[in-house]
Amino acid sequence: MTRRLEGKPVADSRNAATRAAIAARGDQRAPSLVSVHRDIDSPFRFYLKRQAKAAAEVGVVFRDEAVGDAAHPEALTARLAALGRDPAVDAVLVEHPLPPPFDFPAAVGELPLPKDVDGVSPGNLGRLVAQRPVQVPAVALAAVAIARHYELPIEGEPVAVVGRSETVGLPLALLLASRAPRMNATVTLVHSRSRDLAGALSRARTVFSCVGRPGLLDRSNVPPGAHVVDVGLSSVPDPTRPGGSRSAGDANPEALEGWADSLTPVPGGVGPVTVAELMASATRAWSWATGRESPP
Ligand code: NAP
């Protein structure tokens, strides 16, 4: 039987640690997180609700701010620069991807590194490469938190990351290959131009999939006995569901049942842990802003 690597216990334990860290300080001012998004009915709306719920749970003051879908990219850049200067705001998350003509790296680059809570600015990504991270993408932290919690084989082991986007796959690969405790993996990075997916995954003991293509991973490419951390999140039509659709990961869970050693479910795997990591990162930014700790 394939073991289900549930995200809830990992998220609960991360949220408990964040809540305790905030309470222990007894500060008048709680950590403050602002989530900036376009004013549209995007899947990001669902994510915003989860952010608000997790923030209330741990004691982070949360608000979301719409810049307006029709806003010029300059309006977003100016707003982020203002939030970057606002001493009452510790952490800022920016919806992504953003369609052209928005220049996401330039916009998020307006934020000081500690406030770029999802670690996706060129400056934060550079710090990750330099092994001196400030903020790291929450989704990469979440995938790693799951691997650590369930003691998946990472240190010194062959692992594969499928997907190389600057905000998900690439930072995760850098984190896994880093010298951080219990990392030091031997990483194969796979992408859409890789000729032989099955060959690239054949030695991996743990596969992290960050693509957004339901059903990509099955018995034809995942080696038997591998652990699969499914970061992919897509909406697929399902007339049996109230909204006519459901969430799906990159892995085909039916095909991998009895084949993979373990697999994170979608939904309920990496997603809740990502939100918990976001709250932990916002709380770190607050510790730095209030002088309790020095930023790295
Ligand atoms: P993205 O920007 O579209 O990147 C997808 C990556 O997958 C690209 O690097 C692409 O390669 C690669 N790829 C596409 N088809 C492939 C194939 N057949 N074989 C191997 N690689 C392939 O997406 P993203 O923003 O990185 O997000 C990836 C997934 O993670 C999405 O499903 C997203 O919803 C999900 N996500 C989940 C969470 C969470 O908390 N669970 C958080 C963030 C994102 P190229 O570089 O060659 O184009």
Side-chain angles (χ1 to χ4, degrees):
M1 231 177 89
T2 298
R3 183 169 57 137
R4 270 170 72 93
L5 307 175
E6 299 286 349
K8 190 172 184 313
V10 190
D12 286 350
S13 117
R14 295 296 286 133
N15 284 336
T18 301
R19 197 167 39 241
I22 296 171
R25 306 251 166 82
D27 263 31
Q28 294 267 309
R29 183 170 87 68
S32 120
L33 168 64
V34 179
S35 206
V36 176
H37 57 98
R38 286 174 303 146
D39 192 13
I40 53 158
D41 188 21
S42 76
F44 198 72
R45 284 239 156 257
F46 171 73
Y47 192 35
L48 285 174
K49 275 194 200 151
R50 287 173 48 175
Q51 289 166 29
K53 185 166 173 280
E57 207 181 309
V58 300
V60 166
V61 175
F62 175 82
R63 75 166 194 266
D64 75 88
E65 243 192 61
V67 284
D69 192 24
H72 293 297
E74 301 78 52
L76 175 66
T77 309
R79 187 61 197 132
L80 293 180
L83 287 169
R85 289 188 300 267
D86 185 344
V89 173
D90 301 305
V92 180
L93 180 76
V94 188
E95 173 192 353
H96 60 83
L98 290 173
F102 286 94
D103 180 345
F104 178 73
V108 81
E110 292 289 334
L111 297 168
L113 300 190
K115 277 199 192 185
D116 164 31
V117 69
D118 205 20
V120 285
S121 65
N124 267 318
L125 294 169
R127 292 289 293 249
L128 184 57
V129 172
Q131 309 242 2
R132 299 185 65 187
V134 179
Q135 295 287 22
V136 175
V139 64
L141 293 173
V144 159
I146 287 180
R148 285 182 168 139
H149 180 92
Y150 290 105
E151 302 188 338
L152 305 186
I154 301 293
E155 182 125 41
E157 298 288 347
V159 309
V161 177
V162 191
R164 61 172 167 182
S165 76
E166 288 82 353
T167 52
V168 187
L170 191 57
L172 174 58
L174 288 167
L175 196 56
L176 289 162
S178 75
R179 299 186 183 93
R182 297 171 62 195
M183 294 290 97
N184 297 290
T186 305
V187 180
T188 299
L189 185 56
V190 192
H191 47 78
S192 72
R193 307 288 290 272
S194 300
R195 264 194 294 275
D196 175 12
L197 177 61
L201 302 189
S202 62
R203 289 187 61 237
R205 294 198 62 201
T206 305
V207 176
F208 295 84
S209 191
C210 319
V211 175
R213 190 185 265 223
L216 177 70
L217 296 186
D218 57 22
R219 291 185 183 209
S220 72
N221 43 43
V222 172
H227 305 270
V228 179
V229 178
D230 194 349
V231 177
L233 183 61
S234 307
S235 178
V236 295
D238 184 345
T240 68
R241 301 294 172 98
S245 65
R246 66 178 166 84
S247 301
D250 293 341
N252 178 337
E254 289 80 31
L256 291 176
E257 179 56 42
W259 180 266
D261 187 291
S262 63
L263 171 66
T264 56
V266 178
V270 176
V273 188
T274 301
V275 181
E277 290 294 348
L278 194 59
M279 297 305 143
S281 294
T283 303
R284 268 195 300 278
W286 166 74
S287 299
W288 298 329
T290 53
R292 302 283 179 148
E293 286 169 34
S294 311

